[in-house]
Amino acid sequence: MAAAARSFGPEREAEPAKEARVVGSELVDTYTVYIIQVTDGSHEWTVKHRYSDFHDLHEKLVAERKIDKSLLPPKKIIGKNSRSLVEKREKDLEVYLQALLATFPAVAPRVLAHFLHFHFYEINGITAALAEELFEKGEQLLGAGEVFAIRPLQLYAVTEQLQQGKPTCASGDAKTDLGHILDFTCRLKYLKVSGTEGPFGTSNIQEQLLPFDLSIFKSLHQVEISHCDAQRIRGLVASKPTLATMSVRFSATSMKEVLVPEASEFDEWEPAGAALEGTVTAVIPTWQALTALDLSHNSISEIDESVKLIPKIEFLDLSHNGVLVVDNLQHLYNLVHLDLSYNKLSFLEGVHTKLGNIKTLNLAGNLLGSLSGLHKLYSLVNLDLSDNRIEQMEEVRSIGSLPCLEHVALLNNPLSIIPDYRTKVLAQFGERASEVCLDNTVTTEKELDTVEVLKAIQKAKEVKSKLSNPEKKVSEDSRLSAAPCVRPSSSPPTVAPTSASLPQPILSNQVSGVS
């Protein structure tokens, strides 16, 4: 059963006593390994040790903490793996461990804490290990300017430790002082928080359900969060003044959860700086430094009004969600790169009123059969429409007149199996056919020759139609007379990257030993 997180607020219950039970054993090669189940409140985990490990632990505790030397059951040389001896030893070793935990109820000695894997799963042990790591390597990590990776369980432990109101160095070892963590988090610029799917390590702890507070980070420029519960994350909005790049994946069910978690507290709210109309119960500060936002691989079904709080966004990734309609993006005047691939979009009518300045648009993997809503995206340079339901070549005419379009992807649509598919698509771009790269393949001279033939045939048809119907006028915006793109020399359009370039993470040594 998954462990429920402890209370996350001012009202807290007394910490339950920790328990360690020897629940079984197994024969590995020529020796017996004892299986220990450790319980700390609702959290449980297993540890495996052979008798020699117990003996080493005992020797250190006798030397360092002067415990009774006779407390540990003695060694047996003859018949040490016999079932009767093993069963008796299981009981004796459990009594031994329980006696140790009773002897050190508040803070376990370091050697005992590591023996029972407190540094992986128990709040005090986790924070002590993290503090010691940052005491030794914190300055080096900050100087390197790379991403620091941390687990939700570690952040949960730090949050809980701070709320307990205990001394920051309960163990007496200055290296494990909580102050080392707080000093580091105040100055850290690049953070990565990655949870796990399912239980963590050998425990029943579901990291993605743990609450934690990010307000201890005061200088973040970039944050990546994955496999957490956005509704249980607090303090992220404290980074609004500095955060430039944010990624929240496999964590959210709505954009509001991430961008305006406080919205649930107010009936009506508006972003700071907006003209206030009607009854407004709250004015919420914007993410004034945020230019890149990745909310891909979530369960988001709509682009809600919370986008009004990210006015400076240039890159927005909403791929692999359940978005049905392109909405509210008219508030993002600086948006140039938009990824809406693998959603549930089925129509694009009026989309040009929402995406006036867009240069890169990814609509792959949707339910689109018509492209009529794209014909006025005059700034568009890159367009991915692969894996949709486009059947008619006529639909391509909607994008054939776009003056700046250079890269188009239409693979895995019904029309892509039409004979001479490439040349027929390129013909829709008229005089600009040579400037268009279709499906990541450069147009060949042979294809351009075929396009010229198709254009000549089309012109002949139009002339014939005009002669047979004198009153019929040829449309002024014919695809064959598309005007070339006129670009300001000072700001040529650029191909936006598929995602923000991120430094490689430095993984915390604390979790490197967990299987």
Side-chain angles (χ1 to χ4, degrees), residues 215-373:
S215 62
I216 57 174
F217 297 92
K218 309 295 185 184
S219 307
L220 288 182
H221 288 189
Q222 173 184 299
V223 64
E224 298 175 68
I225 299 172
S226 66
H227 294 101
C228 297
D229 183 351
Q231 296 185 43
R232 296 173 186 263
I233 300 173
R234 297 186 182 180
L236 182 57
V237 294
S239 295
K240 281 184 178 181
T242 59
L243 199 61
T245 302
M246 176 163 59
S247 172
V248 180
R249 305 164 75 239
F250 302 102
S251 303
T253 59
S254 73
M255 297 182 72
K256 284 183 180 180
E257 289 174 1
V258 178
L259 298 176
V260 55
E262 64 268 47
S264 60
E265 302 174 16
F266 308 107
D267 295 329
E268 298 289 339
W269 61 269
E270 286 291 339
L276 303 182
E277 299 178 3
T279 304
V280 177
T281 55
V283 175
I284 297 178
T286 63
W287 297 80
Q288 61 262 43
L290 197 64
T291 58
L293 176 61
D294 179 358
L295 292 177
S296 64
H297 295 275
N298 285 297
S299 300
I300 297 170
S301 60
E302 65 173 326
I303 304 173
D304 59 44
E305 60 183 358
S306 64
V307 296
K308 292 191 289 187
L309 292 171
I310 50 174
K312 295 187 178 179
I313 281 291
E314 299 174 13
F315 306 96
L316 178 59
D317 188 347
L318 288 168
S319 62
H320 297 274
N321 277 286
V323 176
L324 298 168
V325 179
V326 179
D327 204 6
N328 285 311
L329 295 179
Q330 68 272 17
H331 301 290
L332 306 183
Y333 305 111
N334 298 298
L335 184 64
V336 293
H337 173 100
L338 175 62
D339 192 340
L340 284 170
S341 60
Y342 300 94
N343 277 278
K344 297 180 180 179
L345 299 172
S346 58
F347 66 94
L348 298 170
E349 292 298 332
V351 75
H352 66 280
T353 63
K354 313 286 197 312
L355 303 173
N357 301 315
I358 203 74
K359 292 182 179 179
T360 298
L361 179 60
N362 191 342
L363 295 170
N366 279 281
L367 309 173
L368 299 172
S370 171
L371 305 181
S372 60

